[in-house]
């Protein structure tokens, strides 16, 4: 099935229009805005701890607040996306991002910060499952790697832009200023999404030539599932491929969450940097991660598939290789030199970044008709559970040992579990049959 789609698409001349890439760019901007919302709290952590007298363990709990709602709503929101579509659900979602950021900016203590971050989790829940579903509609299989890497790389690149910018704003205007700026950016994106996003069947600017190219290349079919939402969920939860994908991606999510939430604090407290220097050093691994995401997780995968290599083997090889590189996080826990620490973290994040878009491309590749967002929801639910656990566990480990070494070692163990799941549980990356009506 995979080889047939790829050969057919390559036999066609690439269309002169590029509407699909404009849509990919829009999705990437949305993820960039999402992560502006999320990293604000990371950068503000030392300032918030001082103002509200919050310790590392409490800060870890606060870091996890976003994940409670974001994670536990993934499956129902995935079902909503498969039922009502990307356009309708994401319009509501993008407006809510700005509201949540406004509330965060005016928080008065631990309880209001926690509630506002939970609200942000609700608002941003549809993002990645929606992007995975939309990319399936808008791209042939042999272009899915780079298209997915664009929105996934935006999550990494946001740390390059957001962390130093927000650190600068906080030093001059206080930590609340960063949240106000993010709210404004979120409302601007809401307007952009409302004006420009449509599914291919409803997009009047999509040429007939490009529409034919998408169909011939194996773009996912639009329309509702053969089973109802609950029936589809039950069917997918009984499928081994879904569990192999989800457990593997959850392991990635644990390590990624550790870096997102604790990297600046690690550099300040264990490497003895000031907040501005830590923000500058933090950008280094994220720059390399962004490049790795686009070049290895995106371009290289598509290039190898176009050359005729087995699609399943290509994607799984990149995933496993990337997660093996991710094990370099253990090295950061064994050094007291900030430059070696950044080196090991850069290697780890670059590997994880290469694996991530390959992982996010899989839901639309294996899903039965109308089930891509539900698979994405299941996968991101487990990813979010580990994303909740990582900052809490790290906070308690650091509080008890006054060191990050054991926290980094635990992240390495989680990645090893993920590698085993991808290799032995997922199996071939191929479409799951439609459930019987």
């Amino acid at each position: 099935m995979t080889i047939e789609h790829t050969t057919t698409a390559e036999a066609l001349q690439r269309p002169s229009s590029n509407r699909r890439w404009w849509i990919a760019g829009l999705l990437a901007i949305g993820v960039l805005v999402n992560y502006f919302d999320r990293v604000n709290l990371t950068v503000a952590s030392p300032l918030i701890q001082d103002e509200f007298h919050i310790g590392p363990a409490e800060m870890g709990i606060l870091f996890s607040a976003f994940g409670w709602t974001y994670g536990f709503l993934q499956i129902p929101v995935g079902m909503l996306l498969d039922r009502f579509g990307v356009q309708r659900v994401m319009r509501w979602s993008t407006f809510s991002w700005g509201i949540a950021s406004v509330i965060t900016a005016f928080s008065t203590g631990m309880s209001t910060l926690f509630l506002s971050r939970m609200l942000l989790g609700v608002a941003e829940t549809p993002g990645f499952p929606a992007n995975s579903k939309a990319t399936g509609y808008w791209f042939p299989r042999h272009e899915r790697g780079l298209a997915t890497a664009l929105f996934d790389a935006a999550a990494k690149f946001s740390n390059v832009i957001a962390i130093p910018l927000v650190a600068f704003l906080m030093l001059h205007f206080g930590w609340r200023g960063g949240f106000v700026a993010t709210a404004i950016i979120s409302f601007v994106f809401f307007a952009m999404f409302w004006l420009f996003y449509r599914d291919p069947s409803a997009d009047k600017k999509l040429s007939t030539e490009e529409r034919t190219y998408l169909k011939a290349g194996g773009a996912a079919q639009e329309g509702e599932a053969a089973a109802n939402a609950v029936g589809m969920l039950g069917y997918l939860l009984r499928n081994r491929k879904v569990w192999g994908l989800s457990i593997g991606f959850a392991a990635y999510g644990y390590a990624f969450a550790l870096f997102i939430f604790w990297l600046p604090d690690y550099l300040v407290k264990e490497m003895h940097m000031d907040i501005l220097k830590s923000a500058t050093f933090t950008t280094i691994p994220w720059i390399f991660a962004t490049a790795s995401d686009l070049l290895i997780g995106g371009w290289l995968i598509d290039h190898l598939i176009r050359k005729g290599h087995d699609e399943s083997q290509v994607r799984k090889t990149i995933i496993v290789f990337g997660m093996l590189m991710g094990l370099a996080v253990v090295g950061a826990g064994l050094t007291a030199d900030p430059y070696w620490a950044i080196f090991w973290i850069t290697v780890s994040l670059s590997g994880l970044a290469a694996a991530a878009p390959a992982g996010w491309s899989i839901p639309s590749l294996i899903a039965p008709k109308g089930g891509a967002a539900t698979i994405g929801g299941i996968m991101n639910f487990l990813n979010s559970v580990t994303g909740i656990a990582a900052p809490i566990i790290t906070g308690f480990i650091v509080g008890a040992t006054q060191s990050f070494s054991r926290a980094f070692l635990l992240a390495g163990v989680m990645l090893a579990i993920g590698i085993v799941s991808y290799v032995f549980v997922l199996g071939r990356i191929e479409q799951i049959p439609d459930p019987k009506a």
Side-chain angles (χ1 to χ4, degrees):
M1 180 177 176
T2 302
I3 296 174
E4 179 184 52
H5 280 311
T6 304
T7 305
T8 303
E10 286 300 288
L12 293 172
Q13 182 178 0
R14 291 183 181 274
S16 56
S17 59
N18 288 298
R19 181 64 175 171
R20 64 197 186 283
W21 292 109
W22 285 101
I23 294 296
L26 179 68
L27 300 178
I29 292 171
V31 173
L32 192 66
V33 175
N34 267 191
Y35 275 82
F36 265 76
D37 292 340
R38 302 183 198 186
V39 302
N40 272 340
L41 186 64
T42 304
V43 178
S45 170
L47 301 175
I48 289 174
Q49 288 184 66
D50 289 341
E51 181 172 336
F52 296 121
H53 307 292
I54 297 172
E58 290 176 300
M59 200 65 209
I61 293 172
L62 183 56
F63 281 148
S64 74
F66 171 89
W68 288 104
T69 47
Y70 180 83
F72 289 105
L73 289 175
Q74 283 294 322
I75 293 177
V77 166
M79 295 164 68
L80 285 174
L81 282 163
D82 282 334
R83 173 66 180 84
F84 296 106
V86 172
Q87 181 177 322
R88 292 172 66 183
V89 174
M90 284 300 291
R91 283 181 174 181
W92 165 86
S93 172
T94 52
F95 178 75
S96 302
W97 301 350
I99 298 296
S101 291
V102 169
I103 296 172
T104 307
F106 293 96
S107 295
T108 57
M110 179 70 175
S111 60
T112 49
L113 277 169
F114 192 86
L115 289 172
S116 64
R117 298 301 286 185
M118 289 184 74
L119 177 59
L120 182 65
V122 174
E124 294 193 354
T125 297
F128 273 83
N131 286 359
S132 180
K133 185 177 181 71
T135 302
Y137 287 161
W138 274 98
F139 284 87
R141 296 173 73 95
H142 65 281
E143 291 182 346
R144 205 80 55 86
L146 183 57
T148 305
L150 283 175
F151 74 75
D152 187 75
K156 282 73 177 176
F157 188 64
S158 67
N159 294 278
V160 178
I161 299 176
I163 289 179
L165 177 59
V166 172
F168 175 82
L169 290 171
M170 288 178 182
L171 285 173
H172 290 82
F173 304 106
W175 63 268
R176 300 178 191 275
F179 290 100
V180 171
T182 299
I184 294 170
I185 293 170
S186 294
F187 285 127
V188 170
F189 181 75
F190 159 70
M192 291 173 60
F193 190 89
W194 183 284
L195 290 172
F196 298 119
Y197 183 83
R198 303 289 186 275
D199 287 336
S201 61
D203 195 314
K204 296 180 180 179
K205 294 185 178 180
L206 179 63
S207 68
T208 302
E209 179 190 17
E210 190 170 6
R211 194 184 303 276
T212 301
Y213 178 76
L214 300 183
K215 184 177 180 181
Q221 290 181 300
E222 295 181 46
E224 294 185 30
N228 61 43
V230 175
M232 176 61 78
L233 174 62
Y235 176 70
L236 294 173
L237 286 174
R238 295 189 298 272
N239 190 276
R240 175 176 172 172
K241 290 185 184 299
V242 174
W243 283 103
L245 168 64
S246 300
I247 293 171
F249 203 76
Y252 152 84
Y254 185 95
F256 186 69
L258 187 155
F259 288 128
I260 281 284
F261 290 115
W262 281 106
L263 182 54
D265 209 66
Y266 161 73
L267 294 175
V268 169
K269 293 184 175 178
E270 191 147 323
M271 296 296 147
H272 310 294
M273 299 180 183
D274 61 48
I275 188 171
L276 190 58
K277 185 177 181 181
S278 75
T280 303
F281 266 61
T282 298
T283 63
I284 295 171
W286 292 113
I287 289 172
F288 280 90
T290 302
S292 176
D293 201 308
L294 292 169
L295 295 177
I296 301 176
W299 176 84
L300 181 61
I301 286 177
D302 287 347
H303 174 74
L304 292 174
I305 292 172
R306 282 196 299 268
K307 290 293 184 181
H309 294 281
D310 181 81
E311 180 180 359
S312 178
Q313 289 184 5
V314 167
R315 296 187 195 279
K316 288 184 68 174
T317 298
I318 294 297
I319 289 172
V320 172
F321 175 75
M323 293 185 72
L324 285 171
M325 287 180 62
L327 294 174
V329 65
V330 176
L334 302 176
T335 181
D337 186 320
Y339 293 96
W340 273 109
I342 286 297
F343 171 78
W344 290 120
I345 290 169
T346 298
V347 172
S348 180
L349 264 177
S350 297
L352 295 174
W360 267 116
S361 69
I362 294 175
S364 64
L365 293 170
I366 68 173
K369 182 181 177 182
T374 302
I375 293 179
I378 296 168
M379 164 180 151
N380 215 25
F381 165 69
L382 288 186
N383 174 53
S384 299
V385 169
T386 56
I388 293 168
I392 295 175
I393 293 172
T394 301
F396 277 103
I397 290 174
V398 172
T401 67
Q402 302 303 307
S403 171
F404 281 81
S405 59
R406 292 184 182 179
F408 289 159
L409 178 61
L410 179 58
V413 172
M414 292 293 294
L415 289 173
I417 293 171
I419 292 169
V420 170
S421 183
Y422 275 124
V423 172
F424 296 106
V425 183
L426 174 61
R428 281 191 58 80
I429 299 173
E430 56 191 2
Q431 189 174 26
I432 298 168
D434 289 343
K436 296 180 180 178

